[in-house]
Amino acid sequence: MQLFKGVLNDVSQSSFEGKILVRQAAQKTEAFQLNNNLILSGRATANSKPNLEIFADDVKASHGATMGQLDDAQLFYMKTRGFSEEEAKSLLVYAFCKEVLDLITVPSLFKEVSQRAQRYLKRK
């Protein structure tokens, strides 16, 4: 499994080129590759090129890429529940990142990365 997420703001740029190679002897392989990007600025750009190269016959594999912005309906909902615009955006960005954070299995590392992400979002 390959899961990559990017959060882009201001004039930031990202470029992703992934590759999963399944050789002929690797029958019954399951492969998954996904690159999601959250674009927070009209000047930020994300480029993505997921790639599968499969030489085996019996394989389950998928790949994909997304680029998107925060959902206006979700922002509106959170604001009607008392969150400021800034708080709502920060929570939605953190929720976007949480899927990757949840893959960290070392508790001390999870805590450190999660705290850094929260501190960063509070500065925005």
Side-chain angles (χ1 to χ4, degrees), residues 108-120:
S108 60
L109 181 60
F110 171 83
K111 182 179 178 182
E112 179 66 26
V113 173
S114 182
Q115 287 174 344
R116 284 183 186 216
Q118 289 173 358
R119 280 196 307 268
Y120 174 77

Side-chain angles (χ1 to χ4, degrees), residues 28-39:
K28 305 286 187 191
T29 293
E30 292 187 23
F32 168 82
Q33 181 184 79
L34 184 59
N35 176 231
N36 298 120
N37 294 283
L38 183 58
I39 311 292

Side-chain angles (χ1 to χ4, degrees), residues 56-119:
D57 296 329
D58 192 3
V59 173
K60 290 182 185 178
S62 66
H63 67 305
T66 64
M67 280 76 165
Q69 300 172 334
L70 292 175
D71 186 311
D72 288 335
Q74 290 175 344
L75 284 170
F76 175 77
Y77 176 83
M78 292 179 76
K79 288 193 292 188
T80 64
R81 300 302 185 262
F83 290 97
S84 70
E85 175 109 5
E86 186 176 309
E87 290 170 328
K89 285 180 179 180
S90 287
L91 284 170
L92 290 173
V93 171
Y94 185 79
F96 175 80
C97 297
K98 184 96 168 65
E99 183 180 10
V100 173
L101 291 171
D102 287 342
L103 294 173
I104 301 173
T105 59
V106 178
S108 60
L109 181 60
F110 171 83
K111 182 179 178 182
E112 179 66 26
V113 173
S114 182
Q115 287 174 344
R116 284 183 186 216
Q118 289 173 358
R119 280 196 307 268

Side-chain angles (χ1 to χ4, degrees), residues 2 5 9 18-20 25 37 41 54-55 58 65 71 75 92:
Q2 294 179 344
K5 289 195 171 196
N9 202 6
K19 184 172 191 173
I20 292 178
N37 294 283
S41 162
I54 301 172
F55 296 99
D58 192 3
D71 186 311
L75 284 170
L92 290 173

